[in-house]
Amino acid sequence: MSKVSIVYWSGTGNTAMMAGSIADGVAAAGGEAELITVDEANVDALKDASVIALGCPSMGAEQLEETQMEPFMCELDGVIAGKQIALFGSYGWGNQEWMRDWEDRIVADGATVVNGEGIAVNGTPGPDAEDELKALGQTLASL
């Protein structure tokens, strides 16, 4: 079992709830989850991690949050090749373009998106989304 770093930005609390559900899944599988808000994240500390979960809601015109998450991703772009990356986030409008763009960015950086796609939840995560996120956490713990 591995340690899973879960780095996220949350404006309304929905993405934070998603991060918590992933952490619950990691713990249920016997792994260790570290929840880190993006303002406290350190790219150097993640260089040795083989598995990382990244969470951010859709903002503005379906993009990552611009003041903290986007600059963090710019730093992370150069160090995630070969890593397993899980993506998650909430949205309130649109067609999840921000998630597809994020998936493409991760792949272009040479990393693998866990399960082939991120988990996007419209609004507050309900029971089905919580189950999906916990299952993702269990998967991450086994990588």
Side-chain angles (χ1 to χ4, degrees):
M1 297 293 168
S2 62
K3 177 179 176 183
V4 178
S5 297
I6 304 169
V7 180
Y8 67 95
W9 185 91
S10 186
T12 64
N14 292 336
T15 301
M17 289 174 60
M18 295 175 77
S21 293
I22 293 169
D24 290 345
V26 171
E32 179 186 349
E34 180 182 22
L35 288 167
I36 309 165
T37 57
V38 72
D39 61 320
E40 296 179 351
N42 180 322
V43 171
D44 287 335
L46 296 175
K47 284 182 180 176
D48 294 330
S50 59
V51 179
I52 303 168
L54 300 172
C56 185
S58 173
M59 302 294 289
E62 291 211 59
Q63 60 200 31
L64 296 177
E65 189 277 329
E66 294 179 301
T67 62
Q68 294 180 26
M69 194 64 172
E70 180 58 35
F72 175 76
M73 279 303 305
C74 287
E75 288 184 63
L76 202 57
D77 284 335
V79 299
I80 61 173
K83 297 184 185 305
Q84 299 279 331
I85 308 289
L87 299 176
F88 64 96
S90 63
Y91 67 101
W93 63 89
N95 64 5
Q96 303 176 33
E97 182 180 339
W98 107 101
M99 184 59 75
R100 289 189 300 277
D101 291 344
W102 203 7
E103 293 162 355
D104 291 345
R105 181 178 186 172
I106 295 300
V107 171
D109 286 340
T112 300
V113 176
V114 175
N115 294 332
E117 63 185 2
I119 297 176
V121 174
N122 190 341
T124 304
D128 290 343
E130 289 175 5
D131 289 346
E132 184 179 12
L133 293 158
K134 287 177 184 175
L136 175 60
Q138 292 174 341
T139 297
L140 296 176
S142 71
L143 295 176

